[in-house]
Amino acid sequence: MNDIIVAKFGGSSLADSQQFAKVKKIIESDNRRRYIIPSAPGKRDKKDHKITDLLYMCQQLAAHNLSFDDIYNIVKKRFLDICSDLNLSFGMEDILDEIKEKIAHGASRDYAASRGEYLNGLILSNYLGYEFIDAEELILFDKTGKFDAKATDDKVNARLADVSHAVIPGFYGVMPNGEIKTFSRGGSDITGAIIAKGVMAQLYENWTDVSGFLMADPRIVKDSKPMEKVTYKELRELSYMGASVLHEEAIFPTREAGIPINIKNTNAPEDAGTMILSDISPVSHTGTITGIAGKKDFTVISIEKTFMGSDRSFFRKLMTIMETNDISVEHMPSSIDSISLIISDSELNSKLQKVVEEIRIYCNPDSIICYPNMALVAVVGRGMINTKGISAKVFTALAKEGINIRMITQGSSELNIIIGIENGDFERAIKAIYEAFQ
Ligand code: ASP
């Protein structure tokens, strides 16, 4: 590991000149913060627009030969205001006009969207006095549009070897034919992780507008505490069950390289935030949980068949039905003569009847019953490994609330307990479990 911090600042951290000033102060307070990844300006308040959204709109209007002057003027004013507030003059207006011309003359959707990060990167590099390195130089996609991790890693390594401090815009890179290609929405997180891996940084800081991940959804648990530490594995469990602050794909490069991520708040830089740590780091919080997440709207298909296990082809047939109907199964708790398939309604779409019919024909069960409107709650924490009493606490809390538990699974990693309940009990269950661990 090198004595380097890669710091990514999200859209709300760079939404206006006041936010830029906070960001500068943060960067300059630690000289290890050498490579800075900006997003495009985000919303300044609830009613405001993200620059990226406006740029997508401009491109769409232009593609239909409609005027996009009004919307582009909003974009332009936003960037020019930031420059004038910060006393920067480096020809921003000309650059903005050139981009407008390109959009008017058929520039791609990805090109248009990427300009938010490009322009914000130019401003930040001028403001900090750091070199500007265009993401086009570093982040490489192959000709099919797939991110090329190996080529990018080599490029980042070589290009940044002699650069002490630089600003590199997030969210996009380039294909071999020179076309700009963006990651999916929120993709500046990914750029930051890639750069952190490329320079083998000791830390990847992800600056946003919250002081880390919260233990539970704040819409359900008011004043939920933040998580101090969470491992990559725990975070995966939580994020696939609905919790999110960071782009999912951003986790992979740093996880692979063993680089921790610190989620920090630009508006409260002294807060510790959440540290995402490697899976092997020591457990400092035994006997408690790390977080709670969950999702509503699952259907359970419960299948009974006596001597299910002695029919060697039973499970294969069942899974083939799921595969041919392109349905991914979330969980499959089983007993000696029964198995339940828990499937998200968004996966199932309108295929339920067809699937049940096929199970009837191919698997010949004694009975099939479907239970709609189910929710899953995941209680996640490495602290529960080898600790007695965690599940007792969870189930007692639910019993006290009068919540009927319809299903329980615990992953063999002992990292989580997943509980199936009815949709209507979802919020109450999360609150009750959270309270039990305070
Ligand atoms: N500006 C892009 C978006 O709004 C990427 C990012 O902010 O990470 O999705």
Side-chain angles (χ1 to χ4, degrees):
M1 298 278 169
N2 298 314
D3 208 16
I4 298 172
I5 295 175
V6 170
K8 177 255 166 179
F9 290 88
S12 59
S13 300
L14 293 166
D16 59 23
S17 57
Q18 282 166 3
Q19 292 300 87
F20 266 78
K22 289 184 197 169
V23 165
K24 184 174 188 198
K25 213 168 146 198
I26 291 167
I27 294 169
E28 291 178 347
S29 67
D30 189 333
N31 200 36
R32 290 174 304 163
R33 293 188 177 117
R34 290 176 42 189
Y35 305 116
I36 314 299
I37 318 299
S39 279
K43 292 183 183 190
R44 290 162 293 188
D45 53 62
K46 276 204 180 104
K47 284 195 198 130
D48 200 12
H49 301 287
K50 279 181 154 195
I51 289 293
T52 312
D53 291 331
L54 297 177
L55 288 167
Y56 276 125
M57 262 191 256
C58 288
Q59 193 276 340
Q60 198 148 7
L61 288 169
H64 290 89
N65 286 323
L66 297 167
S67 162
F68 61 97
D69 286 357
D70 290 349
I71 297 176
Y72 198 78
N73 283 340
I74 304 175
V75 173
K76 198 168 164 178
K77 180 166 181 333
R78 192 79 176 272
F79 284 113
L80 291 178
D81 281 353
I82 296 175
C83 286
S84 73
D85 288 353
L86 300 177
N87 283 322
L88 300 172
S89 51
F90 58 91
M92 186 54 140
E93 190 147 12
D94 292 345
I95 302 169
L96 280 158
D97 290 343
E98 264 172 48
I99 292 171
K100 186 177 179 195
E101 276 299 293
K102 284 199 179 150
I103 296 176
H105 290 97
S108 73
R109 195 175 141 75
D110 282 13
Y111 170 84
S114 73
R115 293 307 89 184
E117 271 69 14
Y118 172 80
L119 293 164
N120 235 16
L122 282 178
I123 297 177
L124 191 59
S125 76
N126 272 276
Y127 185 42
L128 295 169
Y130 289 2
E131 182 175 344
F132 174 80
I133 300 182
D134 196 336
E136 272 190 56
E137 275 193 57
L138 301 177
I139 308 292
L140 308 175
F141 291 83
D142 69 14
K143 62 175 191 287
T144 67
K146 206 171 138 254
F147 172 61
D148 189 338
K150 172 81 182 71
T152 299
D153 210 39
D154 293 346
K155 206 43 184 251
V156 170
N157 224 302
R159 177 69 177 86
L160 297 183
D162 301 320
V163 178
S164 73
H165 291 75
V167 173
I168 303 154
F171 191 38
Y172 69 93
V174 73
M175 302 216 284
N177 63 1
E179 248 182 70
I180 294 288
K181 168 95 188 129
T182 61
F183 291 112
S184 55
R185 292 302 302 266
S188 299
D189 285 344
I190 309 177
T191 310
I194 292 166
I195 301 294
K197 177 168 187 265
V199 299
M200 279 313 282
Q202 63 177 202
L203 181 64
Y204 169 31
E205 285 179 343
N206 194 295
W207 291 85
T208 172
D209 55 2
V210 288
S211 293
F213 299 119
L214 299 175
M215 280 184 69
D217 186 336
R219 287 167 302 186
I220 300 173
V221 177
K222 280 196 198 97
D223 307 323
S224 164
K225 283 191 194 148
M227 300 180 209
E228 237 174 83
K229 289 176 187 165
V230 58
T231 62
Y232 279 100
K233 245 192 206 157
E234 287 174 312
L235 194 62
R236 285 284 298 152
E237 297 282 351
L238 288 165
S239 61
Y240 106 96
M241 285 298 282
S244 73
V245 171
L246 189 67
H247 195 298
E248 277 216 346
E249 290 165 51
I251 290 178
F252 296 105
T254 43
R255 181 183 191 172
E256 200 180 274
I259 299 169
I261 306 177
N262 195 0
I263 308 290
K264 295 275 287 176
N265 188 350
T266 299
N267 305 317
E270 58 295 337
D271 287 357
T274 299
M275 206 46 140
I276 308 171
L277 297 166
S278 116
D279 300 322
I280 51 163
S281 46
V283 185
S284 58
H285 48 293
T286 45
T288 188
I289 59 168
T290 304
I292 313 163
K295 269 197 227 166
K296 283 184 175 177
D297 299 327
F298 288 89
T299 294
V300 177
I301 307 177
S302 175
I303 305 157
E304 283 200 20
K305 181 175 164 113
T306 318
F307 301 122
M308 181 181 272
S310 58
D311 174 357
R312 298 290 189 258
S313 63
F314 183 85
F315 296 106
R316 175 175 50 77
K317 284 185 206 149
L318 193 58
M319 285 304 101
T320 306
I321 295 169
M322 297 302 129
E323 189 182 352
T324 50
N325 283 287
D326 194 24
I327 292 171
S328 118
V329 179
E330 203 84 15
H331 290 286
M332 277 191 295
S334 64
S335 71
I336 184 145
D337 286 334
S338 75
I339 183 161
S340 294
L341 305 179
I342 302 176
I343 303 166
S344 154
D345 289 349
S346 58
E347 277 289 317
L348 209 47
N349 280 318
S350 47
K351 298 174 198 162
L352 181 62
Q353 246 188 335
K354 179 170 178 273
V355 166
V356 168
E357 209 40 49
E358 289 179 15
I359 297 174
R360 230 178 233 129
I361 295 169
Y362 298 118
C363 300
N364 197 25
D366 300 338
S367 74
I368 308 179
I369 305 174
C370 297
Y371 302 99
N373 304 322
M374 298 286 291
L376 293 180
V377 173
V379 184
V380 176
R382 300 181 301 149
M384 65 174 78
I385 299 175
N386 299 327
T387 333
K388 295 174 197 82
I390 301 264
S391 37
K393 230 178 187 174
V394 171
F395 300 133
T396 308
L398 295 178
K400 270 194 197 151
E401 267 298 308
I403 294 169
N404 187 20
I405 301 172
R406 302 281 295 270
M407 181 218 84
I408 305 162
T409 58
Q410 180 169 39
S412 53
S413 61
E414 262 201 79
L415 207 65
N416 59 7
I417 302 169
I418 295 177
I419 301 151
I421 50 176
E422 280 174 22
N423 269 348
D425 291 331
F426 183 71
E427 283 83 5
R428 271 191 315 128
I430 291 189
K431 264 191 212 151
I433 298 168
Y434 178 86
E435 288 306 329
F437 287 93
Q438 296 315 301

